[in-house]
Amino acid sequence: IGLSFYDKDGFLINSNEQMCRIFKVQNIKDHIGKYNVFESSVGRMLKDDDGNILPLYGTTHIIHENYGIDAYVELQIEPVRDFNGNAVYIITAAKDVTYERLLQISSIENANKYKKAEIRMKGYSDMLRNVLDMSKTRIWICDLDKQTIKYSKDMKEYGTVITFNEYMNTLSAE
């Protein structure tokens, strides 16, 4: 988990290595006292209309091309208050969930593709069923283990079942 600590005015005090990895910070010393959490897009949501610092929990997609950042990050930002309820520090915890989010996106895309294919296959199956029904044609399935052949008119129910021997006898009779 990445951790950052800010003073009550939002200026960075320090960050751990994981936070630096998530946000691709090479030298944290360049940002201490200069980076202000309230100036970020997420940080702008940390204050109410009266200027009180609010906690924030959420997942965000952060893209910062200048630093090569394209990450999904779970954030928890909390003010640390003194006994009088005044904010004295702000703590930020961040977890890179990019891999999990990309898996979720891929899973949703695959599920949508599967549903579309299933709908197309049902359409083809319905068309074939109509053709079979109108043409009085039957579908047959051969079971090698049981040595049987079964016939279907509608591909749902198989009414006639004959053995290989019975089938061969019908061929030789003709």
Side-chain angles (χ1 to χ4, degrees), residues 29-40:
K29 291 177 184 173
D30 292 342
H31 300 277
I32 292 175
K34 297 173 187 163
Y35 177 76
N36 190 301
V37 71
F38 297 124
E39 293 174 3
S40 69

Side-chain angles (χ1 to χ4, degrees), residues 127-138 153:
M127 287 187 324
L128 180 58
R129 191 173 295 113
N130 287 336
V131 168
L132 291 173
D133 216 22
M134 292 187 305
S135 69
K136 308 281 189 232
T137 303
R138 303 292 179 259
K153 176 182 173 185

Side-chain angles (χ1 to χ4, degrees), residues 39-80:
E39 293 174 3
S40 69
S41 58
V42 171
R44 290 186 199 103
M45 296 184 282
L46 292 174
K47 288 188 178 181
D48 65 13
D49 293 337
D50 297 325
N52 298 312
I53 300 171
L54 305 170
L56 179 111
Y57 310 95
T59 302
T60 186
H61 185 193
I62 298 173
I63 300 172
H64 200 303
E65 292 176 7
N66 293 346
Y67 296 103
I69 299 171
D70 184 356
Y72 291 90
V73 180
E74 285 182 357
L75 289 172
Q76 179 176 350
I77 303 173
E78 289 273 350
V80 177

Side-chain angles (χ1 to χ4, degrees), residues 10-11 24 27 36 60 79-80 84 98 124 131 134-135 148-151 157 168 172-173:
F11 288 99
K24 299 191 178 185
N27 187 356
N36 190 301
T60 186
V80 177
N84 297 323
T98 303
Y124 297 143
V131 168
M134 292 187 305
S135 69
T148 58
I149 300 171
K150 54 186 179 179
Y151 295 90
E157 296 178 23
M168 295 305 290
S172 61

